[in-house]
Each structure stands twice: as structure tokens, then as C-alpha cells.
Amino acid sequence: MNRWVIHVDMDAFYAAVEQRDNHLLKGKPVIVGGSPESRGVVSTCSYEARQYGVRSAMPSYQAKKLCPNAIFIPPRPAVYKHVAEEIRQIFFQYTPIVEPLSIDEAFLDISGSLKLLGSPEEIGCSIKRQILQQVKLTASVGIANNKFLAKLASDCHKPDGLKIITSSETQKFLADLPVSRMWGIGPKTTHLLAKDGILTVKDLQQMSLTRAELLFGNNARQMLELAMGIDNRPVIVNQPCKSIGHETTFAKDCLDKGLLNQVLLKLAEKISRRLRLHQVKGNTITLKIKYSDFSQITRSAGIGRCGEATNDDLTIYRIGKDLLEKEKLALPVRLIGLTVSNFEQAGAKQLVLFAEEQREKQEKTDRLTKALDRIKDKHGEKIIGRGVFAVRGNYLKK
Ligand code: TTP
Ligand code: MG
């Protein structure tokens, strides 16, 4: 199977959060960092400030000289951390294989998600759209068959960019890049290589291993492979996925319980598919409601004493529906979400003994679910769904 990797990198991350939270900063040259008067340095700056040559890690007094109108803002690390976590939770809606690289960057291996969520490009667009809708920030996305190329791609059309590098485009894409864009080649090495006439990745592609060994020592082989676009490093998960959820923002705030229930069932269907795909079952269901005034509630419930962990859509739906039933909807609903957490492996031994009748019922449901999964695997997600979905109106936010 072809590996597909997405690299997501937020645009001017700290500065974008500041501009988001204070509308007076929008469209202005904003520098987040220490003050120019106290030997501070620039953490980052808005793209408006970059036009003046301001860059990360530059002394703030120098940044002020380049851009006298810049607005200096002290960093708010706790806020950035919180936003980064919100973004990470979005990633987990697309794949459990997420490798964070820094506070605002991550690799996602989406190879296993294509059947369910669409083409790599569609998934990339969807991630960008969801981040913008939910977190109100733009991200740049790179998509390719490996980490090296995906990271290069995300940098191509910053800010708010999306670039896919297919295998047939790889050689051409790499050939003209300056060597400084290679992993492991910093300003010093770039300078040394330039003295030898090695300026572009094409120059590396044409280099013999013997010569590369003289220049890069033990890293020579890897450097030449990268120059050819070969990179077999896997995306490494260092934070296991703890929950799988999905949510929907309505085009028009909604008070119609019937429609809310229908959306819940649709969410439950999607979640249960993903749980089965990742071979886990969950013990806790959480309902999230965001009201028209942006206030938010979450309500959780266990599977119940006589139940076992589940990845079954109707069970998830019923528990979500019960939670919704108990809520007095004081205001129209802007967003509704469901999450399943508290996982165990799908094949884990059942702790609860079912009554014979209940077991038979469960087996029947499992057979039906498997049949539905097979049909969806073959013909796509939209081909079949639970019968309750008579309404397929355009209630979703575009
Ligand atoms: P980057 O992703 O390198 O930069 P950025 O998100 O600000 O801008 P872009 O990706 O659009 O080029 O770094 C992410 C955050 O990390 C950045 O917003 C601030 C922080 N950071 C520092 O504090 N010091 C630094 O030297 C760098 C490079 C980043
Ligand atoms: Mg960034």
C-alpha cells in the first residue's frame, strides 16, 4: 500500500493567535517576543511584519529598526499550548497516527483513512477547513508519500497553502530546490557546498556515494536518498489516541430535536466506522453542545453496568440521544458532537456474560454491521446508511 503523509504547519502561529484574539491587531505587523528595550528576541511575527524582513530569533531591537510600526506583544505560552491541543484533537479525527514535531507542526499518516475519508487532497482540505472553522486559524498543509516531501510541500505556498507532491512530480520538484532546503543542511554546510559548486538538490542527485561520503560522512547514503525523494521513516505516534469523535456545525443554529437526533445518528455511524477501522471499542460516550452564544457543555455516560465496550453505531447513538434528552436546550444549538473514549482492544475478552438471547441479538447486529462496512469499503461512505436518515438537507456549515 502506498504511504500518504500529511504535514501540517500553522501559519505565524503565536502571532496569528494574538491577531485572532484582538481584532485591533488584524492586518498589522505584529511581533510576538521580548521587548526591543530589554534585549528581547522575536519568537515569531505576522506575515505583515515579515514584509519588512523581520524573522524569528532576531533581536527585537533589530526588528524594531526594520519595522518601526510593529506592535510588540509578550508571548502567552499557556494560550498557545491550549490552542495546539485543540488542533491536535482535530488531527486525531483523521488518523490515530499523529507525530507532533513542535507546538504547531505535526505529521499525520493518513494511509489507513483514505477509504473512509476520501483522497489525500480532500483530507488535506478538510483538515485546513476544520482548523479554520473550529480554531479560527490558518494552517499550511503538505501532502506526499513520505515525511521529507510532505514537510517540503507544506512550506511551498505559505500562508494558508496546500501542496501535494505526487510520485511522478517528485524528481522535478526536488531538482531545482536549493540545497539549504534539505534536512540536515544548515547555513554552514550550505556555504561549504557552494564553494564546491553544489547549489541545488539536482547537484546532490548527480553526486557519487564516494563523494557524498567525503562531504556528509555517515549520513551520505541517507542524504542521497532524500535528494532522490526516498524516505522510509515511519510516522511515529508518541501519544496514543485516547478518543475518537466527530462534530457538526449547523449552517443555521438549530432547536429541532428531531434534526439533532438525526445528526447524532450520522455522527455515531462515522465514529463507529473509525473505531472498527482502528480495532478499538470504547466505554464512555460524550456529547458536546455549543450554543448560539458560543457557550459549551459536555455530558458523558458510561456504556452501563450490563453492557460491554462498544464500537456499534446504534449503541453509541442511543447513549448520545439519552444525554441529549436530559439537556434543556435553552438556546439554539450551533454545534453538536459525539466522542467515544476509554478504549479497549476490539478483540479483548468480554468481562460481562451475555444472556443467550442478548448474545444472539448482538451477533446479528455484528453481522449486519460487517455487511454494511463491506458495502461502504467497496462503494464509498455515502452509498448506504441507517434508514432513519430520511433528511439529508443542507443543514451543515459549508
Ligand atoms: P514556526 O512554525 O517555525 O513559525 P510560525 O508558525 O510562527 O510561522 P510559519 O510556520 O508560518 O513560518 O514556529 C512555530 C512557533 O514557535 C512560532 O509561532 C513561535 C515559536 N518559535 C519561537 O518561539 N522561536 C523561534 O525561533 C521559532 C522558529 C519559533
Ligand atoms: Mg508554523
Side-chain angles (χ1 to χ4, degrees):
M1 187 176 68
N2 225 347
R3 181 186 289 163
W4 280 104
V5 178
I6 288 189
H7 178 253
V8 184
D9 184 358
M10 301 304 296
D11 302 319
F13 186 49
Y14 293 3
V17 172
E18 297 304 333
Q19 287 181 317
R20 178 194 74 169
D21 293 350
N22 179 355
H23 68 98
L24 296 174
L25 299 178
K26 288 212 168 96
K28 305 254 170 72
V30 172
I31 294 178
V32 178
S35 104
E37 286 79 36
S38 63
R39 299 203 301 167
V41 289
V42 174
S43 291
T44 193
C45 61
S46 66
Y47 276 78
E48 292 84 354
R50 290 183 198 197
Q51 287 173 8
Y52 296 83
V54 181
R55 294 287 179 268
S56 290
M58 178 181 271
S60 297
Y61 75 84
Q62 192 184 341
K64 177 133 181 121
K65 260 194 209 160
L66 289 169
C67 181
N69 293 333
I71 304 165
F72 282 81
I73 309 271
R76 296 184 296 157
V79 176
Y80 311 139
K81 216 172 145 202
H82 176 77
V83 177
E85 189 46 42
E86 273 183 277
I87 295 166
R88 199 154 297 163
Q89 289 312 315
I90 293 177
F91 295 156
F92 282 127
Q93 293 186 24
Y94 293 85
T95 172
I97 311 173
V98 175
E99 179 180 338
L101 273 190
S102 71
I103 187 159
D104 80 328
E105 268 178 88
F107 286 118
L108 284 68
D109 186 328
I110 53 152
S111 319
S113 311
L114 303 181
K115 242 190 231 168
L116 187 59
L117 300 175
S119 69
E121 211 162 352
E122 281 167 340
I123 294 178
C125 287
S126 180
I127 292 173
K128 273 169 67 71
R129 198 165 46 237
Q130 199 176 342
I131 294 176
L132 186 62
Q133 262 183 18
Q134 246 173 273
V135 194
K136 308 275 180 279
L137 295 172
T138 62
S140 291
V141 161
I143 309 169
N145 294 134
N146 62 49
K147 284 174 150 184
F148 169 62
L149 292 169
K151 189 160 160 64
L152 284 176
S154 73
D155 208 34
C156 276
H157 302 307
K158 256 184 170 299
D160 201 13
L162 183 138
K163 164 92 182 153
I164 179 160
I165 304 175
T166 58
S167 44
S168 59
E169 290 162 350
T170 301
Q171 292 312 318
K172 191 168 176 296
F173 172 83
L174 286 172
D176 298 333
L177 288 182
V179 283
S180 56
R181 297 290 303 281
M182 297 288 293
W183 261 352
I185 300 191
K188 244 186 185 169
T189 316
T190 305
H191 188 68
L192 284 176
L193 291 173
K195 278 193 189 162
D196 267 9
I198 302 155
L199 303 171
T200 63
V201 175
K202 194 173 184 182
D203 298 328
L204 288 176
Q205 288 172 347
Q206 291 166 347
M207 192 180 280
S208 70
L209 181 61
T210 321
R211 184 151 183 233
E213 274 167 349
L214 287 174
L215 291 164
F216 305 111
N218 288 342
N219 298 325
R221 193 175 290 274
Q222 192 190 21
M223 192 59 80
L224 294 190
E225 279 183 1
L226 289 180
M228 300 302 289
I230 301 165
D231 176 15
N232 293 318
R233 289 166 304 169
V235 176
I236 294 168
V237 184
N238 47 14
Q239 246 196 345
C241 164
K242 294 199 179 97
S243 67
I244 287 183
H246 224 85
E247 53 193 41
T248 288
T249 305
F250 292 97
K252 198 164 159 255
D253 297 342
C254 168
L255 256 182
D256 173 354
K257 275 240 165 123
L259 180 55
L260 290 172
N261 279 331
Q262 282 174 12
V263 174
L264 274 188
L265 181 53
K266 188 159 184 171
L267 294 175
E269 262 198 309
K270 280 191 182 166
I271 293 166
S272 71
R273 269 281 273 169
R274 280 171 49 208
L275 289 166
R276 289 194 296 278
L277 217 62
H278 301 309
Q279 298 176 5
V280 287
K281 291 182 171 188
N283 284 293
T284 306
I285 315 292
T286 302
L287 170 76
K288 170 173 158 185
I289 293 176
K290 200 184 258 183
Y291 288 109
S292 52
D293 66 350
F294 283 84
S295 62
Q296 185 176 304
I297 58 142
T298 53
R299 301 282 180 261
S300 293
I303 294 299
R305 230 182 292 158
C306 52
E308 59 156 340
T310 191
N311 55 18
D312 170 55
D313 52 356
L314 287 181
T315 311
I316 297 166
Y317 165 64
R318 280 193 205 112
I319 295 171
K321 186 169 173 266
D322 286 349
L323 288 168
L324 177 65
E325 212 52 52
K326 287 182 197 145
E327 277 314 304
K328 279 197 201 95
L329 300 178
L331 283 169
V333 174
R334 178 185 158 77
L335 171 152
I336 190 160
L338 268 184
T339 302
V340 175
S341 57
N342 204 357
F343 290 158
E344 57 189 57
Q345 282 305 107
K349 204 171 177 301
Q350 291 176 15
L351 292 173
V352 180
L353 289 176
F354 276 105
E356 196 56 31
E357 194 184 328
Q358 208 178 345
R359 190 196 305 273
E360 272 174 21
K361 205 169 145 196
Q362 184 62 42
E363 281 170 5
K364 248 189 216 164
T365 313
D366 288 350
R367 275 203 299 278
L368 174 65
T369 308
K370 270 189 191 146
L372 288 173
D373 278 350
R374 271 199 301 273
I375 295 171
K376 286 181 178 177
D377 284 348
K378 207 164 167 194
H379 301 288
E381 296 306 308
K382 289 188 180 143
I383 194 80
I384 196 162
R386 294 277 174 192
V388 199
F389 286 133
V391 180
R392 288 215 180 264
N394 54 348
Y395 56 81
L396 300 182
K397 198 170 159 75
K398 290 279 172 326

